[in-house]
Amino acid sequence: MKGQLLSANHAAALAATLAARANRTGRGFCSGVYPITPSTECMEFLCAQQIEKGRVVRVESEHSAMGVCIGAAAAGARSFTATASNGLAYMAENCVAAAGLRLPVVMAVANRTMGPPWNIWADHGDALMLRDLGLIQIYCADNQELFDTVLSAFRLAEDQRVLMPAMVCMEGFILSHTVAQTEIPSQEQVDRFLPLTSVPQQLGSTPHSLGQIELPAQTETHRMQHHQAMLAAETVFEEVRGHFADIFGRELQGALVPYRTEDADTLIVSLGTMGLTAQRVVDRARERGEKVGSLRIRMLRPLPVAAIAREFAGKSRIAILDRDISLGFGGVLWGELARLAQAPVVQNYLAGIGGGDVRPEHLERVLADLKGRRQSGTPVNVEAI
Amino acid sequence: MHPLGNSDSTNGVVLPQGTDLPLEIRVHGRGGQGGVTCAKLIAALYARMGLAVQTFGDYGSERSGAPVQAFTRVDRLAITNRNKVYRPDHLLVLDAGLLETPVLAGVAPGALILLNTSGAPADFGARYRGYRLATVDATDIAREQGIGSSSVVIVNTTIVGAYARILGLPLQLLEEVYASFGVPGDLAAARLAHERVRIQEASADGASPENAAPQAPGQAVVAPLTAPAQDFPIELRTGLWSNQSPSYCRYTPPCNAACPAGNDIVGFVQALKEQGPEAAAAILLRTQALPSVCGRVCPAPCMNHCNREAFDGAVNIRSLERWIADNSQVVLPKLAALRPRRVAVVGGGPAGLSAAYQLALRGHGVTIYEAAPALGGVLRYGIPAFRLPLDVLDRDLSRILDLGVKARCGERLGPAELSRLAAEYDSVIVCTGFGAPHQLAVPGEELAGVEQGLPFLDRVKAGSESVSGHVVVVGGGNSAIDCARSALRLGAASVRLVYRRSRQDMPAIDEEIAEAEQEGVRLMTRRQPVRCLGSGRVAALVLAEVEQGAPDASGRCRPVVTERTTELPCDRVLLALGQQDGLEPLLPARWKVDAGRAWSEGQALSVFFAGDCATGEGTVTHAIGNGHRAALRALAALEGEEAEELEGDREAGATQRVVAPAQIRFSHFEPDPPGRDRHLPLNQARAGFQEFNQGLAGPAEAERCFSCGQCTSCDTCLVYCPDGIIYRAQDGYRIDLDHCKGCGMCVAECPRSAMEMKDKALPGGSR
Amino acid sequence: MRNEPLLGGMAQSAVDRETPLLRPGNTNCGGCGMSNLLQMMRRAVADRPVQLVIPACCAAISAGAFPQAGLGAPTVLTTFASAAAVATGAAAVARLNGEETRVICLAGDGGSYDIGFATMSAAAERNEDILYICYDNEIYGNTGGQRSSATPAGAVTTSTPGGKVEQKKDIMAIMAAHRIPYAASLSLAHADDTLRKLRHALDLRGFRFLHVLSPCPTGWKSEPALGMELVRLAVRSGLYPVLEVFDGRRHQINIEPEFSDEALEMYLSLQRRFQNTGLKASDLRPAIERHWLNLRVLSGRIVPARRETR
């Protein structure tokens, strides 16, 4: 295995650095950063880089970190930040603003449980909280994938058909702090991969205001335009994958990662690293002769509805894992996906909430539970079965 | 749903006859007028009748003054409609200015419209005939009751009073509702509106259908937010937000109002500042026949009224006039008269000269008849050379004579000659000045050495007078001061000036008094000579002390002569006690003088009187103004017209238009002490009759003029206009009224009161 | 008149900015002090390229409704607390690209004293190349008039119906304590003072802070026409010190007040926000005197600098 030994946080920062440098002949790069566990390493790494025509501003809050990114992007520069958990919650208002202003800011989120009570470990609830606000969301499962996705997120977000901010997620510690070999392309390759950032609405010298008040009919139209831009991101992402393969000679993981799903009658559906665990469990089950597959959802926004529905078609039992809970409802992923399935049993399993380690045994239990069900039930915690 | 109300509701208030439910009400107002509260008050009225109501404002990002809407619905059943009101049964328009916006959209014929306007329903014409139209001047009432600020008057509580009246709702109901809203104080305004609202029933010929269509929500094409920056200038007529707008105006400066000659003082001072003495003289000479003279000897009431006095000292206007006269060569062009007249002027003093000058300027033929050997009257014979050198007088005289004025000097006229002139000329203007001087009327007045001041001054000017010993001058006017200072120059051992009132009461020019004192004249005020002592020649004057009595009509204290006396030894007594009216000996029998004109047997003659012989005002400047007016009167009488007024007279008549110190924004100006006149050194001054006052060193004093009430294009309005909608224009400034919000800051900031707010003309009658 | 025409006649002349920053047809209230400020900014900006960064506040409404531009310069409207952060990004990118663009934050007192305080403080601490202008109308005007930490004690607001109890923050002292290159309070009623400080602040690099007492007829319940007069009274009475602080060290008092109670009483009586709390000049005078004593010490001058014109 070739590549540099890097934590996922560092990989994200390195991807951002290469992207930043790639815009040196454009309007440059500017980023606002603020530390929070488990994302801190990412900003630390970024702060240690020399970036030609770039500036990393060490601000006083996540809110301002995104504020700087908004200002930079509004001025036409490439922009990036990283945060987690309560930091993301604190940043949320400006995440909305970045989306509302159609600014292609890229951010890396090390998913962490929201507190208090304080908990620094992994939970997807922080990013899912921003699900509806106009940020592209892609969840990653390993270091290489994270690096590749962060790098690609710039191309995706900055595509003129998209122009929406993008969030690339990694589970806190589980991925953010895991060190593994990561293949890093040359700057020259990155330069070819990423066109210069272009924000058409950027501030120039023309009297023109970004973000001014709108009437209901205008906002309605704009919301629909933003929705179309988000939907376009699904197609554009496929194009980006093509460019990625052409330039780097590797494959960028797609919006969905199906694993042995074609002939499966049972599916385990998940976000992030749990998807890799699920693949291991699928292999074991296959050894037992069970027709089990795994579907890892990478892209939650835009949600590749048709592709997911195709994957779900003909399956009889679907387990949807959630490392999060929408209180008073259940798993968010389940809420998103259940309607796309025709299967008689679509069961929600809450796994690893608050950062608990989700082991193959948990998923084995999930499969056993699933097998015993004749119909879907209310969400259950994997520790309780 | 259970019905909530009916016609016999529990609190006894019934829904007025003819009110159909559900009822929809729309209120149009401006931000700050209380439109939303108005709708709430109306809702509360109906709620009190036991009906279901709903009320809400149409909130936007509106600002004070911007159009806003509010709605109220009334029904018997609970209301589930959560939409805005598109087809109102009742429409309240809180500001008539809003009628320029589509407030009538969706209002069907027969609907009730209540307008806040000073106009009557009939003023609104055919377009409104199909409606039941009511009007009330709620702004006037609310302003009178002090509700809101003067530019944003809150009219909601007032107009609801009118609304209640239209619906026949009792005032008791309003009282309850206003109490519950915490605005019981506004009831008085509501009552007035209740009284004053005017109602016109709908007529069958209907409203024009264009009003009836509700406004369709716009289906505009919306550019994406990612569109490249493009400038779309804002399009909003914020000028509709206010019913007031600023404008430039000319208020009368107090100096102009105070000038007896009608000089446009601010005009010539500003012209001096901006364009120099020639331009200033061109303005000054329009009203001033004798600028070189007045620039020296005028008592300058303008300076007493100067608004700068209350700040850092009056502008030295007199000396600016002198500067202009001494430093310009301008001659006004002589106009061609439509019907040239021949006018005789009797008397070549200031009034006569002024009359002759004004007539000659207008192209008429003038002949001056003067008893003395030369023109000038008191100017030539009564004012010493150290105040008014003869060459200065001659300069002004030659300007007058150059206009073609003929002078016949040495001709003293009597009644017969006057009659002859009246027949011979188109018009005669008599300006013979005062008559004989007043006597002292005390024992010993006949003693040698006691004599009148005016002949003394005449002899001094002729160089045929000498003085020695101790001199006492009696009087407090300019002649008294002139006598005293002349005596000093001619070698008097001492000069005392005796005056019966206080120094402040002396009619002489203040500076002259001060200068006299500096030169060594000693004032003895509150003294009245009661006897002259001496054998054959005066040796002493007995002076009684004078106490202050009650103020007389002039505001000065009436002098009360006491028994306490002192003796003042002296060698000579000069009397300068003023002069008597001098007209009597001149008038032919049967002539009567009334209002400055001669009458014979009920017939007005074309003979006019001006100057001291007519008015006794006693100053050169009054005489100049008076002569000017008489000339205009004479001309007008010949034409059978009303005399044109001097500009100053016209504006001074309207006293409220004279700028008061409180109307000057002192903070705009930097303190800058008045420019003082230069004077000869004292020893040199006392040694002879060289002009003592050397005037100003330059025209910089003109910079100090506030230019009260007259725009100087100082840019203050432009700089402080919050909306930047005042622009430079060819002649001053232009206000973009399409965008003026009527805040009035330009008017408030104008340093010199040259702007004012005016009510706009509104639909249905101006406010 | 030696001071006429005002500003030497530069307004709408060749040295003025050709087009306004606040355009006619904007929706600001009549007599809004922030409008006055924008007119003066136009004159100071002249031909310098500028970008405006405006948080949620009345000035954001001045920008007009989409897509029309009420402001005559490129502008980004930010969330309430973010002006200085967004301006940081915009200014950084301008600097990276060698552009002369002057990035100006235009924020109210709420966005500066309160919710945007940390952001502003941090940008000042980093000495970002931003001109931060706080137009202080002493109220949350955009939301209809609630108290902020800039609201003076004794003022009635919709959230302090009985009158605010707490004192106004001393924002100038706070900003001076950041040791930024330039902090100044300016008087809108003294156009020359305003223009000079705006120009100076525009030309400097680093974080510059301008505090502008900005009359709000709507919130202050005062006559729109009297806005400038109210500022003048605040200056004359000593209530609003007009000073400059260079590098957080050198203090310079620019306009010497008269400290007249008459001016103070007039200031209070012309605003209905003070009328129900019975606030008197004598209530304010001790605090004003203490404050000025401190300013005198800081400015190193016990003797008044220059008498303000009457």
Side-chain angles (χ1 to χ4, degrees):
Chain A
M1 187 84 191
K2 56 179 180 173
Q4 296 180 29
L5 271 181
L6 288 172
S7 73
N9 265 331
H10 287 178
L14 187 53
T17 304
L18 288 164
R21 290 176 180 144
N23 205 38
R24 64 193 175 279
T25 55
R27 287 193 59 78
F29 172 82
C30 179
S31 164
V33 293
Y34 189 73
I36 182 170
T37 305
S39 167
T40 307
E41 281 185 345
C42 180
M43 65 81 81
E44 286 174 339
F45 187 93
L46 196 61
C47 289
Q49 306 307 309
Q50 294 296 319
I51 301 171
E52 186 187 345
K53 208 179 199 183
R55 180 163 173 225
V56 179
V57 186
R58 288 74 160 169
V59 295
E60 84 297 344
S61 70
E62 290 88 354
H63 194 270
S64 286
M66 183 52 81
V68 170
C69 294
I70 287 171
R78 182 160 285 160
S79 193
F80 171 83
T81 191
T83 189
S85 184
N86 288 55
L88 185 61
Y90 198 49
M91 185 186 280
E93 188 197 23
N94 274 342
C95 293
V96 177
L101 296 173
R102 304 287 303 268
L103 299 173
V105 179
V106 172
M107 60 192 300
V109 172
N111 303 108
R112 169 189 152 184
T113 310
M114 299 272 290
W118 292 118
N119 176 313
I120 58 170
W121 298 285
D123 192 298
H124 284 126
D126 53 359
L128 290 172
M129 182 181 63
L130 298 185
R131 181 190 61 177
D132 300 333
L133 301 178
L135 291 96
I136 294 166
Q137 289 199 350
I138 304 175
Y139 293 77
C140 297
D142 71 29
N143 295 48
Q144 186 67 56
E145 185 183 323
L146 183 84
F147 175 88
D148 293 350
T149 306
V150 170
L151 196 59
S152 303
F154 286 100
R155 177 142 191 176
L156 176 62
E158 293 173 7
D159 187 279
Q160 299 298 290
R161 292 160 290 178
V162 178
L163 288 167
M164 297 297 288
M167 176 192 289
V168 181
C169 297
M170 56 185 139
E171 284 139 299
F173 294 108
I174 296 170
L175 182 51
S176 69
H177 282 61
T178 299
V179 174
Q181 283 101 336
T182 314
E183 206 174 308
I184 306 299
S186 69
Q187 184 67 51
E188 179 274 327
Q189 284 174 301
V190 174
D191 290 353
R192 277 194 287 134
F193 176 61
L194 290 179
L196 294 179
T197 306
S198 162
V199 180
Q201 72 272 33
Q202 77 178 51
L203 298 179
S205 54
T206 312
H208 175 77
S209 288
L210 302 183
Q212 59 197 141
I213 195 161
E214 300 183 337
L215 298 173
Q218 294 173 321
T219 298
E220 188 176 35
T221 309
H222 280 153
R223 283 285 194 272
M224 294 316 293
Q225 289 168 354
H226 299 187
H227 179 56
Q228 292 303 323
M230 284 295 276
L231 293 180
E234 188 186 341
T235 326
V236 173
F237 189 59
E238 284 307 304
E239 292 177 20
V240 172
R241 291 179 70 211
H243 295 301
F244 190 95
D246 289 346
I247 292 167
F248 302 118
R250 290 188 277 111
E251 198 194 351
L252 171 68
Q253 290 283 22
L256 302 176
V257 185
Y259 184 75
R260 302 178 86 164
T261 56
E262 264 179 27
D263 60 339
D265 59 14
T266 300
L267 272 185
I268 303 175
V269 184
S270 61
L271 285 176
T273 56
M274 286 193 300
L276 297 184
T277 309
Q279 288 178 10
R280 289 163 61 206
V281 173
V282 164
D283 288 343
R284 283 195 215 167
R286 286 278 178 175
E287 282 169 21
R288 293 196 296 269
E290 296 171 21
K291 288 189 173 173
V292 179
S294 159
L295 180 66
R296 177 157 68 91
I297 309 291
R298 289 235 306 141
M299 186 178 270
L300 189 78
R301 282 293 181 273
L303 187 67
V305 172
I308 294 170
R310 274 197 301 277
E311 290 292 343
F312 283 0
K315 308 296 186 262
S316 54
R317 288 165 193 278
I318 300 176
I320 300 178
L321 305 185
D322 268 292
R323 182 170 239 150
D324 62 82
I325 179 163
S326 171
L327 300 172
F329 176 72
V332 173
L333 191 62
W334 169 64
E336 292 271 301
L337 303 184
R339 69 183 177 93
L340 303 177
Q342 308 297 321
V345 179
V346 181
Q347 179 63 37
N348 186 206
Y349 297 94
L350 305 172
I353 287 174
D357 197 10
V358 179
R359 288 167 283 132
E361 298 88 295
H362 289 111
L363 301 193
E364 292 286 5
R365 265 190 262 156
V366 163
L367 284 178
D369 180 81
L370 196 62
K371 205 181 288 177
R373 286 182 182 266
R374 288 214 207 103
Q375 60 188 50
S376 310
T378 54
V380 293
N381 187 348
V382 292
E383 300 293 350
I385 48 178
Chain B
M1 193 73 209
H2 186 72
L4 281 162
N6 51 46
S7 55
D8 49 14
S9 85
T10 46
N11 64 0
V13 180
V14 297
L15 189 65
Q17 287 285 315
T19 311
D20 290 329
L21 294 178
L23 177 64
E24 296 199 315
I25 303 160
R26 190 165 76 203
V27 179
H28 292 266
R30 298 184 187 287
Q33 285 183 319
V36 176
T37 306
C38 180
K40 284 184 191 168
L41 286 165
I42 290 171
L45 289 177
Y46 288 106
R48 290 240 157 208
M49 297 178 209
L51 294 164
V53 298
Q54 172 202 65
T55 181
F56 55 105
D58 190 10
Y59 290 99
S61 59
E62 279 79 16
R63 288 299 187 263
S64 185
V68 292
Q69 294 180 45
F71 313 107
T72 296
R73 272 198 184 88
V74 186
D75 204 349
R76 275 186 221 292
L77 301 172
I79 299 159
T80 54
N81 186 347
R82 284 291 180 276
N83 298 130
K84 299 174 189 178
V85 170
Y86 296 100
R87 294 186 179 279
D89 304 300
H90 295 175
L91 183 81
L92 281 78
V93 182
L94 303 196
D95 193 310
L98 293 168
L99 294 176
E100 292 182 35
T101 66
V103 292
L104 291 177
V107 187
L112 165 66
I113 300 181
L114 171 55
L115 298 180
N116 171 19
T117 168
S118 59
D123 299 338
F124 286 84
R127 193 175 175 205
Y128 293 81
R129 254 207 318 274
Y131 301 117
R132 188 173 185 220
L133 183 63
T135 66
V136 66
D137 195 346
T139 305
D140 192 49
I141 295 169
R143 195 177 273 166
E144 188 184 304
Q145 299 285 320
I147 309 174
S149 67
S150 72
S151 60
V152 184
V153 183
I154 301 173
V155 297
N156 52 7
T157 48
T158 305
I159 204 157
V160 169
Y163 181 76
R165 160 80 182 283
I166 301 165
L167 296 195
L169 300 174
L171 280 167
Q172 170 64 25
L173 189 62
L174 285 188
E175 266 175 52
E176 291 166 20
V177 167
Y178 282 32
S180 70
F181 274 69
V183 289
D186 292 4
L187 258 177
R191 280 207 189 90
L192 285 172
H194 196 271
E195 262 169 44
R196 293 185 193 169
V197 63
R198 288 176 280 187
I199 306 164
Q200 174 184 288
E201 295 304 325
S203 85
D205 52 2
S208 56
E210 87 221 40
N211 293 341
Q215 263 190 299
Q219 287 289 325
V221 177
V222 183
L225 287 173
T226 49
Q230 201 183 337
D231 182 9
F232 298 97
I234 196 157
E235 289 167 12
L236 197 60
R237 271 180 72 198
T238 47
L240 294 175
W241 287 11
S242 168
N243 295 336
Q244 289 198 310
S245 61
S247 61
Y248 294 87
C249 59
R250 289 175 69 85
Y251 280 83
T252 302
C255 49
N256 285 19
C259 179
N263 290 339
D264 179 8
I265 294 165
V266 162
F268 75 69
V269 172
Q270 291 297 318
L272 174 62
K273 186 183 93 176
E274 302 287 340
Q275 295 154 278
E278 303 288 329
I283 295 172
L284 178 56
L285 287 172
R286 290 207 291 257
T287 49
Q288 176 57 284
L290 302 163
S292 313
V293 171
C294 272
R296 287 169 168 82
V297 302
C298 179
C302 53
M303 292 171 67
N304 293 333
H305 288 81
C306 176
N307 280 334
R308 190 134 193 161
E309 179 62 32
F311 182 55
D312 59 357
V315 175
N316 192 346
I317 299 167
R318 176 175 45 226
S319 294
L320 284 173
E321 181 175 359
R322 170 175 172 172
W323 173 271
I324 293 163
D326 290 357
N327 291 279
S328 65
Q329 308 297 328
V330 177
V331 179
L332 290 190
K334 186 171 167 172
L335 303 174
L338 199 60
R339 279 177 290 278
R341 308 288 187 180
R342 291 178 62 248
V343 182
V345 172
V346 182
L353 291 167
S354 179
Y357 173 75
Q358 295 297 343
L359 291 164
L361 264 185
R362 287 166 175 74
H364 302 287
V366 187
T367 305
I368 302 178
Y369 291 83
E370 167 60 50
L375 292 177
V378 68
L379 306 175
R380 182 171 298 279
Y381 302 108
I383 298 181
F386 63 85
R387 278 181 65 208
L388 180 61
L390 278 175
D391 61 325
V392 170
L393 173 62
D394 288 339
R395 198 162 64 225
D396 280 351
L397 289 176
S398 63
R399 192 187 303 107
I400 297 167
L401 296 173
D402 287 350
L403 290 169
V405 172
K406 294 191 193 72
R408 294 176 63 168
C409 295
E411 292 200 25
R412 182 174 292 278
L413 307 185
E417 289 86 354
L418 190 55
S419 291
R420 182 173 53 77
L421 291 185
E424 201 173 297
Y425 286 86
D426 292 323
S427 204
V428 179
I429 299 174
V430 179
C431 311
T432 48
F434 281 125
H438 286 295
Q439 301 296 310
L440 190 54
V442 298
E445 191 176 0
E446 71 291 346
L447 289 169
V450 179
E451 58 183 309
Q452 282 295 339
L454 282 176
F456 167 78
L457 288 174
D458 187 7
R459 290 197 303 278
V460 172
K461 220 154 180 190
S464 58
E465 182 63 55
S466 64
V467 176
S468 60
H470 301 283
V471 177
V472 176
V473 180
V474 184
N478 283 320
S479 290
I481 299 288
D482 288 344
C483 286
R485 295 176 74 185
S486 295
L488 211 61
R489 281 165 172 73
L490 290 171
S494 77
V495 179
R496 286 182 160 79
L497 191 140
V498 172
Y499 180 58
R500 58 185 180 156
R501 302 189 209 233
S502 71
R503 184 191 153 133
Q504 287 72 39
D505 292 330
M506 288 173 69
I509 298 172
D510 207 41
E511 291 93 322
E512 303 284 340
I513 304 170
E515 287 165 14
E517 284 190 288
Q518 279 169 24
E519 289 169 10
V521 175
R522 287 188 53 198
L523 299 188
M524 299 183 72
T525 56
R526 301 222 174 93
R527 297 288 198 287
Q528 170 76 31
V530 289
R531 181 182 294 271
C532 302
L533 300 176
S535 54
R537 189 168 179 85
V538 68
L541 206 54
V542 179
L543 301 177
E545 289 181 27
V546 178
E547 285 181 354
Q548 289 187 331
D552 63 12
S554 73
R556 300 188 303 177
C557 293
R558 199 180 297 278
V560 178
V561 180
T562 67
E563 299 293 317
R564 298 188 298 278
T565 59
T566 47
E567 274 184 29
L568 178 64
C570 60
D571 304 304
R572 197 156 181 189
V573 176
L574 296 170
L575 303 176
L577 302 166
Q579 292 158 272
Q580 300 161 3
D581 178 15
L583 215 45
E584 284 303 323
L586 186 63
L587 290 183
R590 296 197 304 277
W591 281 26
K592 297 246 179 320
V593 180
D594 185 32
R597 186 165 186 180
W599 296 71
S600 176
E601 294 168 344
Q603 290 288 318
L605 303 176
S606 194
V607 177
F608 296 87
F609 299 86
D612 285 336
C613 74
T615 67
E617 287 161 325
T619 77
V620 173
T621 321
H622 279 99
I624 288 169
N626 216 242
H628 186 173
R629 289 177 188 89
L632 297 183
R633 249 185 108 186
L635 288 177
L638 290 172
E639 300 293 340
E641 293 168 350
E642 286 278 299
E644 63 174 291
E645 284 185 311
L646 297 196
E647 194 178 351
D649 296 349
R650 189 165 55 245
E651 294 182 3
T655 47
Q656 76 279 5
R657 288 186 56 89
V658 177
V659 180
Q663 290 167 296
I664 296 296
R665 182 166 285 296
F666 286 158
S667 58
H668 174 83
F669 303 99
E670 298 199 8
D672 182 12
R676 306 274 178 210
D677 296 336
R678 299 162 304 156
H679 293 91
L680 286 187
L682 261 188
N683 50 359
Q684 196 182 335
R686 284 188 52 167
F689 284 83
Q690 193 184 344
E691 188 172 18
F692 176 60
N693 187 334
Q694 299 287 303
L696 291 165
E701 178 69 0
E703 297 280 339
R704 295 184 66 245
C705 172
F706 283 163
S707 185
C708 304
Q710 317 270 315
C711 179
T712 60
S713 298
C714 73
D715 277 5
T716 302
C717 50
L718 182 155
V719 164
Y720 286 111
C721 171
D723 284 293
I725 46 93
I726 298 181
Y727 300 92
R728 290 183 200 288
Q730 205 106 58
D731 182 24
Y733 302 100
R734 174 178 67 81
I735 299 171
D736 170 8
L737 292 177
D738 274 349
H739 294 109
C740 171
K741 294 170 188 161
C743 72
M745 201 174 285
C746 50
V747 175
E749 287 302 310
C750 177
R752 45 185 54 87
S753 203
M755 295 187 80
E756 61 188 351
M757 290 303 284
K758 283 188 175 152
D759 288 333
K760 289 183 190 170
L762 295 175
S766 60
R767 167 150 280 122
Chain C
M1 212 53 57
R2 302 191 205 316
N3 58 341
E4 288 186 2
L6 221 56
L7 305 176
M10 67 77 64
Q12 291 174 19
S13 76
V15 294
D16 198 351
R17 192 172 189 266
E18 207 176 329
T19 54
L21 280 181
L22 179 66
R23 293 174 160 180
N26 70 78
T27 58
N28 287 3
C29 295
C32 173
M34 181 255 292
S35 299
N36 282 99
L37 170 64
L38 278 160
Q39 300 307 336
M40 291 305 297
M41 281 169 66
R42 165 196 179 165
R43 290 159 197 144
V45 161
D47 57 359
R48 296 173 184 85
V50 292
Q51 288 173 357
L52 299 176
V53 179
I54 301 177
C57 62
C58 288
I61 306 304
S62 319
F66 180 85
Q68 299 183 352
L71 298 171
T75 302
V76 59
L77 304 170
T78 78
T79 54
F80 207 171
S82 295
V86 173
T88 296
V93 173
R95 175 67 72 94
L96 290 173
N97 286 279
E99 291 159 353
E100 283 304 304
T101 310
R102 315 273 58 211
V103 176
I104 304 172
C105 272
L106 185 62
D109 47 305
S112 307
Y113 284 65
D114 290 354
I115 191 170
F117 188 66
T119 319
M120 174 179 75
S121 168
E125 179 266 339
R126 295 191 305 268
N127 198 24
E128 298 291 350
D129 190 20
I130 297 172
L131 168 54
Y132 193 105
I133 303 178
C134 172
Y135 67 97
D136 175 10
N137 61 9
E138 305 190 320
I139 207 164
Y140 284 93
N142 212 19
T143 48
Q146 296 74 34
R147 66 90 88 181
S148 76
S149 61
T151 304
V156 168
T157 71
T158 61
S159 58
T160 54
K164 191 188 169 202
V165 177
E166 302 81 7
Q167 299 287 316
K168 182 184 173 94
K169 262 188 205 173
D170 183 357
I171 199 75
M172 278 295 290
I174 292 167
M175 295 317 291
H178 285 73
R179 293 181 281 272
I180 50 177
Y182 188 62
S185 53
L186 59 81
S187 164
L188 284 177
H190 296 74
D192 48 349
D193 177 75
T194 306
L195 185 66
R196 181 180 67 79
K197 286 172 181 171
L198 281 168
R199 280 176 171 165
H200 184 65
L202 278 161
D203 285 337
L204 282 177
R205 290 277 175 176
F207 197 89
R208 297 90 72 200
F209 176 80
L210 292 177
H211 181 218
V212 184
L213 181 64
S214 177
C216 172
T218 310
W220 293 9
K221 312 259 178 283
S222 56
E223 288 293 340
L226 293 182
M228 292 303 103
E229 178 65 5
L230 288 172
V231 173
R232 206 172 280 123
L233 291 168
V235 172
R236 273 176 58 191
S237 62
L239 190 65
Y240 179 64
V242 180
L243 70 150
E244 289 166 296
V245 186
F246 302 90
D247 301 314
R249 289 192 301 276
R250 193 161 64 82
H251 286 60
Q252 187 157 325
I253 292 163
N254 306 115
I255 302 177
E256 191 62 33
E258 293 166 13
F259 298 106
S260 101
D261 275 356
E262 176 214 337
L264 200 48
E265 290 290 3
M266 187 68 86
Y267 180 76
L268 297 175
S269 68
L270 288 174
Q271 303 173 60
R272 278 185 289 125
R273 63 173 172 156
F274 291 118
Q275 273 170 20
N276 295 331
T277 52
L279 196 66
K280 298 185 299 295
S282 52
D283 301 330
L284 300 177
R285 188 53 68 196
I288 291 174
E289 277 171 12
R290 269 196 309 280
H291 189 45
W292 272 91
L293 193 63
N294 197 27
L295 288 178
R296 296 250 187 267
V297 171
L298 288 169
S299 67
R301 305 182 70 118
I302 303 305
V303 179
R306 171 170 85 81
R307 271 244 162 259
E308 192 209 353
T309 58
R310 273 194 280 181

